[in-house]
Amino acid sequence: MLEFYRGNSETPSGSLLFYCRVRGPNPFSPDAKLLVCHVVVSYLGVRNNNFPVVVFPPSALTSEEEFFELLDLDEDSDVVRLEDFEIPEGKPEADYMSERLERFNDRVYEYVEIYRKQLDRKRKKHGQQRLPLFPEQPLLIQAPDMDDAHAIATIEQAITDGLQSKESIQAAVEFLKHQHPQLDMINLESAVNQEDLKLSALYLDKFKAILEEKYEDAARIQVQIRNFNPAG
């Protein structure tokens, strides 16, 4: 059962901060005292019982004060504590990360379920409310001129070509920024600007894993990024 530090399991907001204490070595930051991860659940697919989830990469904090400063910025998000992050002595880091990610996914699914139940209660209470459609007004949002696959392929080809023409991937990067704000595209842009082929490829592989909801693979790639580029 989820342990709420702030918020109520009966009325979840759909925006959640998971946090846990860090004990001993970890692959995120040598000075980490807390790990915090932001999870957002969309209600737009409620009629189809579909609740897309955005899981942002974890952030390592060096003190509880840093965490409280973050909480002061957003009083509406739920806050849930997870078990301490501590790699058992003698246990391979990769095995622990895999087990940890599986438990984390279970907690995410649990939160989505209580969020779904809350929306079901609201729908039964309020019924269906119609919104004005304003059919005489044209849509202001135009369909993008590319899709995820095209954007990923464009960046991948540019990396394969040795980043000879960085301009060719700018539109693809901007598209992914807009469509998937959970992807830390700024790190990929930085690697591209530095013409770092290895790091650019690692970030792209991580993004592909996230888009395919292969979060275990994404976590392993993030460890490779940390080992390859401690500042990433």
Side-chain angles (χ1 to χ4, degrees), residues 121-140:
R121 291 193 296 270
K122 284 186 176 181
R123 292 185 68 191
K124 292 176 181 178
K125 178 179 179 180
H126 298 293
Q128 297 183 358
Q129 298 181 357
R130 294 182 178 180
L131 299 176
L133 299 179
F134 302 110
E136 71 279 4
Q137 295 185 4
L139 291 176
L140 299 180

Side-chain angles (χ1 to χ4, degrees), residues 56-217:
F56 293 90
S59 295
L61 306 182
T62 59
S63 67
E64 291 186 1
E65 185 61 32
E66 286 187 25
F67 185 45
F68 291 137
E69 289 176 359
L70 288 178
L71 296 186
D72 289 340
L73 296 176
D74 178 13
E75 298 179 354
D76 296 325
S77 290
D78 301 316
V79 181
V80 168
R81 179 180 178 179
L82 300 177
E83 59 270 22
D84 294 348
F85 184 101
E86 183 176 16
I87 302 176
E89 184 176 354
K91 189 179 188 67
E93 179 182 298
D95 291 348
Y96 180 75
M97 288 293 293
S98 178
E99 294 173 2
R100 185 84 191 190
L101 183 60
E102 184 175 349
R103 294 199 300 271
F104 176 79
N105 286 338
D106 290 341
R107 300 298 185 273
V108 172
Y109 296 147
E110 185 176 351
Y111 184 77
V112 172
E113 180 62 16
I114 65 175
Y115 184 65
R116 181 192 66 77
K117 290 180 178 178
Q118 178 200 210
L119 294 184
D120 283 345
R121 291 193 296 270
K122 284 186 176 181
R123 292 185 68 191
K124 292 176 181 178
K125 178 179 179 180
H126 298 293
Q128 297 183 358
Q129 298 181 357
R130 294 182 178 180
L131 299 176
L133 299 179
F134 302 110
E136 71 279 4
Q137 295 185 4
L139 291 176
L140 299 180
I141 302 176
Q142 298 180 355
D145 56 2
M146 66 170 67
D147 56 19
D148 290 352
H150 185 194
I152 291 292
T154 298
I155 299 174
E156 198 165 38
Q157 186 60 52
I159 294 174
T160 300
D161 294 339
L163 299 174
Q164 296 301 311
S165 177
K166 293 189 285 291
E167 294 78 14
S168 66
I169 70 173
Q170 190 59 44
V173 169
E174 291 301 322
F175 172 81
L176 291 174
K177 273 185 180 179
H178 176 74
Q179 294 295 108
H180 304 284
Q182 78 273 24
L183 302 180
D184 48 330
M185 295 300 296
I186 190 172
N187 288 328
L188 173 61
E189 284 184 300
S190 177
V192 168
N193 290 334
Q194 296 173 23
E195 298 185 356
D196 191 329
L197 297 177
K198 175 64 174 178
L199 192 56
S200 298
L202 283 173
Y203 276 118
L204 185 62
D205 287 341
K206 185 181 80 168
F207 298 161
K208 288 194 294 185
I210 292 173
L211 292 177
E212 295 172 4
E213 299 185 354
K214 297 178 179 178
Y215 300 119
E216 180 177 338
D217 292 343

Side-chain angles (χ1 to χ4, degrees), residues 27-39:
F28 303 97
S29 170
D31 299 324
K33 296 294 186 296
L34 294 169
L35 294 178
V36 182
C37 186
H38 191 194
V39 176

